[in-house]
Amino acid sequence: MVKNIAVIRGDGIGPEIVEQALKVLNKVAELYGHTFNYTDVDMGGCAIDKYGDPLPENELKKCVESDSVLLGAVGGDKWNDVPGNMRPEKGLLRLRAGMGVYSNNRPAKIWKQLADASPLKKSIVDKGIDFIIVRELIGGIYFGEHKTENVDGKSTAIDILAYNEEEIERIGRIGFETARKRNKKLCSVEKSNVLDSSRLWKKVMHKLADEYPDVELSDMLVDNCAMQIVKNPAQFDVVVTENMFGDILSDEASMITGSIGMIPSSSLGATTCGLYEPIHGSAPDIAGKDLANPIGTILSAAMMLRYSFDMAGEADAIENAVSAYLDKGYRTADIMSEGMIQVGCEKCGNLIIENLRKV
Ligand code: IPM
Ligand code: MG
């Protein structure tokens, strides 16, 4: 198959982790006889430096016209003082909205080899951690009006959190469908004791539940969910939640699996053209030092093959190679533990390629 992939290296550790993922994709192409064409796209701080805009129209166009987009990370201290609507992160938000990818899927799964890297007690980890956070990605407070103005002589900042029932319903469906393919348990997370948007969220989820009688729906307040994720993560199968709650809970969920550096994500909308990115940030403090863990990006590339290109075998091959690499005791700094062999970002990529076998 021939696939055209838009590649956003971005800022900080972005370029080095994306480089490893591309090496892995090239190896897959060689083993399976595919052709992957890459188109470089500038987004984030590097695009601000080059064009004065974190995502120029033409760069977005390259993404929308591709078969899917692979992204490293954007942002960094260098651009902290640029106005809010021109920050590197704004490029990412415009990309998500421009691609219409409303459904972000973030797995929280512990690799058996990394059980020791989890900060949770062994008795909790042993019960298993394997759930998915389905995060609404192009609505809510991230996309409401943001402004700072003078009110009664005081500088006042306003961020609007709005959801309409259609936006909730379409992400709700993804939640139910995802649960249907797994253990059929969906937990809808909101703050309905305080927020109107959450009360509508809950109402829509319950209406949808009638169409999915095989899926068990439960509700949980977001503060309780934050607690339950560390207390008893084994209770979760699929969590569906709004944009900002999903942002926060997915960082928490990643941490209990050992390292945020290991977690991939997929973002999809109405078409198969998806956006694939690790859930971590650009980590400017370790950029260029060959210290980053590229596995989140490599596994994001695997998700691209599985969900956008219908290449399940190829995706399995990548995941098996990551598992084999971990089995052999290799670890980047973020997941290093006693008795293991520490490797850098580039070596990690090379070792994963060495362990790639056609399945
Ligand atoms: C994420 C990130 C982004 C988000 C930032 C970089 C805008 O934290 O993908 O989780 O908040 O969505
Ligand atoms: Mg985040």
Side-chain angles (χ1 to χ4, degrees):
M1 264 197 252
V2 179
K3 294 289 175 190
N4 299 316
I5 302 172
V7 176
I8 305 175
R9 291 180 162 80
D11 310 313
I13 58 171
E16 41 194 308
I17 53 179
V18 166
E19 199 53 42
Q20 308 316 312
L22 294 183
K23 287 192 325 203
V24 171
L25 283 173
N26 288 340
K27 182 76 186 183
V28 168
E30 184 192 311
L31 286 175
Y32 286 84
H34 300 308
T35 301
F36 297 138
N37 300 317
Y38 307 115
T39 305
D40 278 312
V41 173
D42 291 317
M43 186 183 90
C46 56
I48 296 175
D49 290 348
K50 212 162 157 181
Y51 312 100
D53 181 339
L55 183 65
E57 260 323 291
N58 193 46
E59 301 302 290
L60 171 61
K61 190 163 170 268
K62 290 189 210 165
C63 294
V64 174
E65 287 173 355
S66 70
D67 291 320
S68 269
V69 181
L70 181 69
L71 162 65
V74 295
D77 296 341
K78 186 178 167 196
W79 303 281
N80 273 351
D81 295 327
V82 302
N85 64 347
M86 274 294 152
R87 284 184 63 98
E89 291 82 359
K90 200 70 185 183
L92 176 57
L93 300 187
R94 277 184 5 217
L95 175 67
R96 290 171 177 170
M99 292 180 69
V101 289
Y102 61 84
S103 164
N104 179 221
N105 180 324
R106 299 187 162 186
K109 186 174 174 179
I110 195 145
W111 292 79
K112 63 178 191 314
Q113 302 93 330
L114 297 182
D116 287 345
S118 173
L120 296 185
K121 277 191 203 137
K122 192 171 176 307
S123 58
I124 297 177
V125 174
D126 284 349
K127 284 200 254 161
I129 303 175
D130 181 3
F131 62 98
I132 289 183
I133 296 183
V134 175
R135 169 187 176 194
E136 199 292 323
L137 202 61
I138 58 174
I141 201 160
Y142 276 55
F143 290 90
E145 191 185 357
H146 306 289
K147 61 182 176 187
T148 304
E149 59 189 26
N150 195 302
V151 178
D152 298 334
K154 292 182 273 285
S155 178
T156 305
I158 299 163
D159 299 287
I160 306 277
L161 162 49
Y163 269 109
N164 67 42
E165 54 191 353
E166 270 170 30
E167 290 171 311
I168 301 172
E169 188 185 319
R170 67 181 180 183
I171 191 68
R173 283 193 189 283
I174 303 287
F176 278 103
E177 298 287 343
T178 309
R180 185 169 259 179
K181 289 190 205 123
R182 292 175 45 101
N183 295 325
K184 302 187 169 51
K185 276 170 58 188
L186 180 64
C187 181
S188 162
V189 171
E190 29 70 6
K191 187 74 185 170
S192 57
N193 53 348
V194 178
L195 302 175
D196 258 37
S197 56
S198 282
R199 287 189 272 272
L200 182 61
W201 180 279
K202 190 171 171 182
K203 192 171 146 200
V204 173
M205 290 297 156
H206 280 268
K207 203 167 138 216
L208 271 178
D210 295 341
E211 289 179 44
Y212 298 89
D214 51 325
V215 175
E216 181 197 320
L217 174 68
S218 61
D219 306 296
M220 195 177 277
L221 295 173
V222 63
D223 46 352
N224 183 27
C225 182
M227 197 164 71
Q228 295 299 328
I229 285 177
V230 288
K231 190 171 170 229
N232 178 17
Q235 72 186 284
F236 295 109
D237 180 23
V238 179
V239 167
V240 65
T241 192
E242 65 97 53
N243 204 344
M244 186 163 66
F245 298 161
D247 176 47
I248 299 168
L249 295 176
S250 62
D251 269 31
E252 187 192 10
S254 74
M255 211 54 228
I256 63 167
T257 68
S259 169
I260 194 169
M262 296 287 298
I263 312 287
S265 82
S266 67
S267 303
L268 285 157
T271 71
T272 58
C273 176
L275 170 62
Y276 296 85
E277 52 175 320
I279 77 159
H280 60 71
S282 61
D285 52 322
I286 59 164
K289 296 185 180 154
D290 196 33
L291 280 173
N293 185 349
I295 294 182
T297 317
I298 290 171
L299 293 174
S300 298
M303 285 182 107
M304 174 187 288
L305 301 184
R306 189 182 301 284
Y307 298 118
S308 285
F309 300 166
D310 208 12
M311 298 179 182
E314 290 84 333
D316 287 344
I318 296 178
E319 288 165 8
N320 291 347
V322 170
S323 192
Y325 155 93
L326 293 172
D327 278 341
K328 291 179 183 158
Y330 297 113
R331 303 285 186 269
T332 41
D334 56 319
I335 49 172
M336 183 59 192
S337 62
E338 219 188 303
M340 299 294 130
I341 312 153
Q342 191 166 335
V343 297
C345 180
E346 190 176 348
K347 184 86 191 279
C348 171
N350 292 344
L351 287 163
I352 289 173
I353 292 166
E354 258 174 44
N355 284 285
L356 237 168
R357 307 272 177 283
K358 198 168 172 174
V359 293

